[in-house]
Structure formats: C-alpha cells, structure tokens
DNA sequence: ACGTAAGGTCAACTGTGTTGGCATAAGAGT
DNA sequence: ACTCTTATGCCAACACAGTTGACCTTACGT
C-alpha cells in the first residue's frame, strides 16, 4: 500500500520477482496488452497479470495506483504507437488525414485494449503530443485559434468515437460475434409488412455493417475544414 | 439455472417477492436505470439490484440469461424512449436530424446506462424500429437501396459513437471529473517551448471540450446526403 | 560495510456474476 | 373446491475480482 507510487524515473532499486524478471511500467503495460489480446477485453485482471509476470498481484500497486491508472497507461501507449514515426509534411489535409487514420488504426489494432481506454482523457505524455500535433497542423493551415480549437474538438472526438465503436465490435468474443451475425440475418427474416425497408436492405446490411464508416466520416470533416479555409 | 428464460408474454404465474412486489422485465429495467443514475455506470450489480427490488439476486436469472442480457434490454429501452412520440414529417432532412438528435439525447440523458449499452447491437424490438425508421426516411428521400444502406451506416454509427463519447464524460464520477478538469488546466501550464499550440489554445480548450461535437458532425452528414441527392 | 527504504510477498477483506437444489404458491383442469 | 404442475421465488456456495496492511529482503547510496 504505497500511498504514493514512485515515478518511473525515480525508481532506484530493481529487485527481481520470484520468477527472476525485473519489472517496469513498460513491461507491465506490454504484458497487459498481450493478456487483453489473448483473453478479451474483460480478460485483464490484477491476478492474471500477476500470473503472467510471475509476481504477486499486489506488486502492481508499486507501479500503478490501481487498475484504473494502469488502464490509462495502456491508452497512452496506444497513442504513442500511433504517433511513432509520423512527422508533418506541410500539407494540412494530408497531415490531418494521416493523424486521424493512424490514431484510429492504432486503437483498432488493439480492439480489446481500445474498448477500455477510448473516451478517457489521460493527460499523459503521448496524448499531449498528439493534441499538440493536431493543433499545430490546423494553426499552420491558417485557422485562427478559436476555429482551430473547434475543429480540433470535432476531429479528435470523431476519431476516438469511431475507434471506440469499431474496436467494440472487433473486440466481441467469438460467441457474441456469432450472436451479432445471427442478428443481422434475423433482419433478413423480418416480415416485409412490418419492416419493409429492413427486409429490403438486409442482404446489403450484412456486408456493409462489418466495415468502418470512419474513412468517409473523416473525409467529410476535411471537406468542411477546406470550405472554412477557402472562405477566409 | 434456468436453461431457458421464459419470455415475457409466456409468463403465467406471478408470485410476489418476499417484499410483496411483483417483478417484471419492465420493473427490473427501470430499477436498473435508477441504480445506474444513483451509483454510476459501475454501480449496477445483481446484488444491488436484488437489494433495490427486495428479491434475491438469483431471481433475476428467471428474467434475463445474465447481466449481459439485462444490459441489452436497458439499451433497447433507451432507444424506445428516443423514438416514443416521433413520427416522420416527410422532410427527410428534418426527419433525419430529429432522429439523430433524439437518439443522441436519449443516451446522453442516461449517461451511466449509455456507457454500458452503446456499441452493442441488440436486435430487440425498439432497435429494429429505429433502423426501420432511418432506412424508411432515406428511401423515401429517393436514395437507391445501396446508397441508403451506406448512409444509414454512417448515420447510425456516428450517432452512437458521439453518444458514447459524450455519455462517457458525463458519466465520470465526480472525482474523475475533477481530475479531468485538472488535466485541462494542466494544459495551460505547459511550457510554450515544448507545446506552443496547446499552451496557446488552453483557455479555449477548457470551455470547448465540455460541449458535444455531435450537432456539427450531424449537419456535415446531412450536407453530404443533400449533395448526393442533388447529383442524382 | 552498513543502514535505509524500495519493492517484493502473503493473507485477508469485501464485492462480483453465476449455478444447483429446494420450496411454494399461482393458476389450469376437473 | 380440490388437486397437480410448474413457474418462479429463495438459499447456499462457487470462483473470481480489486485492494490493503503488515511483513520481509535485498539492492543501492553513502
């Protein structure tokens, strides 16, 4: 019960666990990501993490104040992955599109983790860097501060929102996935008298709904920004 | 232990609980909504629900296969509330806007419940009705089936995605809310050398980020549909 | 070489979803 | 009105969750 967790830089003495591994924030987060992938979004627990790291669950509390703080760290790691290797080209439209796609993709690449962490503001390093990047692109494009903030808001919310939604359906355990398939094919069996449009659209729905609507939504937003820039 | 839950219509014998109340799906869902509002999105549990209904937690399994199915029922109730009293005017743009706002609003009005249920396809009655309504509006506007399905997809995903995001920040317990405020004001204290754009935008961010970006995103989508209709 | 405290471990607490077995009263059929 | 059936309530128990306080040990700064 560390009242205060020692920050990663201040960490001095590294004692190995009984299994011989030396812990670190990094190692814990990576292992958590692995567990999430293997056991689904509800498959991460202090106990399982302890098992995987061969340490007592309570040890984790030396590194994070609780499972919630660990969750935030996982989220920040995802954003870090999204940004790694990116640099602005100078074309605001390309840059914004790339940032949006990268963030969306990073979350969707870890759906089980994304489910836990989207829609949480962490204020950690990588998230700050991402916000700074987006605002920088918009300001460089010529938007005044106030407008840039509004666009930034729509942009980041839209990206995270779609990421969350897309991740959620990807993260469903197999059983639930098959259940959702059932639902869509149920649509096909609906009587045309009560649900004519659903019955008509059913075959198309089954194929359309497995794709993400994010790319088209993103282009819509970019168009809107272009219009605003042209008007000024 | 009930392998199969008896469906609501087939329910015959209504025995009151020890507290004298007669249970029903409806009563259970309503009580769950109350608990969610009072105790937050993680405040719903079989045991607490049992306590509130004055019945044994296991009794709930006579009505729902598990907490997950109860969750889906809650979600469907929200959609039902969104649709209740709505009818099409014939103006596709007004109708679509109204549907979007109503659904978004219904979720945001129950943020704690929305957090649990957005991004879950239930296939229950009210959800079917909503899907049918949206498709009906689009077809009546003159869109061919394939296009209507694509727009429907973007529309419904966008609405749910923003609802989820907006609900999530509304549903944060007070402590976390204050923590998020902290984060935004931390932005203001960032050194302008490392994060110039964030530092500049900080005061605007603090006020902008508490508003929903959904209304503007919705108008963007409606514009896109109008363009497509005009082209045909 | 020593003393300190970081950080590992252990045991225990409360709360969770879920299930199998049992009991009872509501309603159907006569 | 009497029975018979069974829907639906209750109880006890299970394995799992997060979290904490006390304890111990070993790596490091001096």
């Amino acid at each position: 019960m560390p009242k205060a967790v020692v920050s990663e830089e201040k960490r001095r003495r590294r004692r190995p666990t009984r299994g011989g591994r030396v812990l670190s924030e990094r190692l814990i987060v990576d292992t958590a990501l692995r567990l999430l992938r293997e056991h689904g979004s509800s498959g991460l627990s202090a106990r399982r993490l302890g098992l995987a790291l061969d340490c007592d669950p309570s040890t984790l509390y030396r590194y994070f104040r609780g499972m919630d703080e660990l969750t935030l760290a996982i989220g920040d790691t995802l954003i870090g992955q999204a940004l790694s290797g990116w640099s602005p080209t100078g074309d605001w439209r390309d840059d914004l599109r790339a940032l949006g796609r990268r963030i969306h993709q990073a979350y969707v690449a870890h759906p089980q983790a994304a489910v836990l962490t989207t829609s949480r503001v962490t204020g950690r390093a990588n998230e700050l860097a991402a916000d700074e990047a987006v605002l920088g692109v918009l300001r460089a494009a010529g938007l005044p501060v106030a407008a840039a903030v509004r666009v930034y808001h729509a942009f980041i919310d839209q990206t995270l929102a779609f990421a969350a939604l897309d991740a959620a359906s990807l993260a469903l355990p197999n059983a639930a996935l098959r259940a959702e398939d059932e639902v869509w094919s149920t649509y096909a069996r609906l009587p045309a008298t009560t649900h004519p449009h659903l019955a008509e659209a059913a075959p198309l729905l089954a194929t359309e709904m497995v794709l993400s609507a994010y790319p088209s939504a993103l282009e819509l937003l970019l168009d809107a920004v272009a219009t605003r820039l042209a008007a000024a």
Side-chain angles (χ1 to χ4, degrees), chain A:
Chain A
M1 318 114 3
K3 298 185 196 310
V5 173
V6 179
S7 81
E8 191 71 359
E9 312 92 52
K10 295 286 165 59
R11 218 168 271 285
R12 298 207 310 240
R13 319 188 175 184
R14 310 310 199 79
R15 171 143 71 123
T17 75
R18 61 180 164 226
R21 314 189 65 164
V22 175
L23 298 183
S24 68
E25 277 196 18
R26 176 74 192 283
L27 177 62
I28 294 174
V29 168
D30 287 349
T31 308
L33 278 172
R34 209 192 74 222
L35 286 187
L36 282 168
R37 175 169 306 285
E38 288 171 1
H39 298 96
S41 45
S42 64
L44 176 65
S45 76
R47 293 178 141 86
R48 247 214 273 252
L49 201 41
L51 213 62
L53 289 164
D54 202 14
C55 74
D56 192 88
S58 63
T59 305
L60 301 170
Y61 288 77
R62 304 283 181 195
Y63 293 82
F64 301 97
R65 216 178 294 280
M67 291 304 282
D68 189 70
E69 200 178 287
L70 169 59
T71 299
L72 294 183
I74 292 174
D76 202 59
T77 300
L78 289 188
I79 298 191
Q81 288 183 12
L83 253 58
S84 114
W86 176 84
S87 57
T89 69
D91 181 323
W92 70 265
R93 196 168 174 128
D94 286 348
D95 287 342
L96 222 49
R97 184 186 293 114
L99 280 174
R101 294 225 166 141
R102 274 169 168 263
I103 296 175
H104 181 264
Q105 200 173 359
Y107 279 106
V108 166
H110 297 269
Q112 302 84 2
V115 167
L116 301 183
T117 64
T118 349
S119 74
R120 293 298 307 272
V121 179
T122 70
R124 293 172 82 107
N126 289 318
E127 189 180 274
L128 287 179
D131 296 344
E132 175 68 16
V134 173
L135 280 170
V137 168
L138 291 171
R139 293 290 281 128
L143 281 183
V145 190
V149 166
R150 275 196 300 278
V151 170
Y152 157 82
H153 185 193
F155 173 84
I156 203 72
D157 272 19
Q158 175 165 291
T159 303
L160 293 179
F162 275 96
L165 203 71
D166 294 334
S169 63
L170 288 175
L172 286 176
N174 286 346
L177 259 183
R178 247 175 287 119
E180 295 232 329
D181 268 356
E182 289 285 319
V183 169
W184 292 119
S185 58
T186 305
Y187 278 37
R189 285 193 291 276
L190 285 175
T193 52
T194 62
H195 299 84
H197 302 106
L198 273 179
E200 170 190 61
L204 290 169
L205 278 174
T207 62
E208 166 75 19
M209 296 312 279
V210 303
L211 299 174
S212 170
Y214 178 65
S216 34
L218 175 58
E219 294 306 321
L220 283 179
L221 188 136
L222 294 177
D223 285 348
V225 174
T227 307
R228 169 164 304 191
L229 279 172

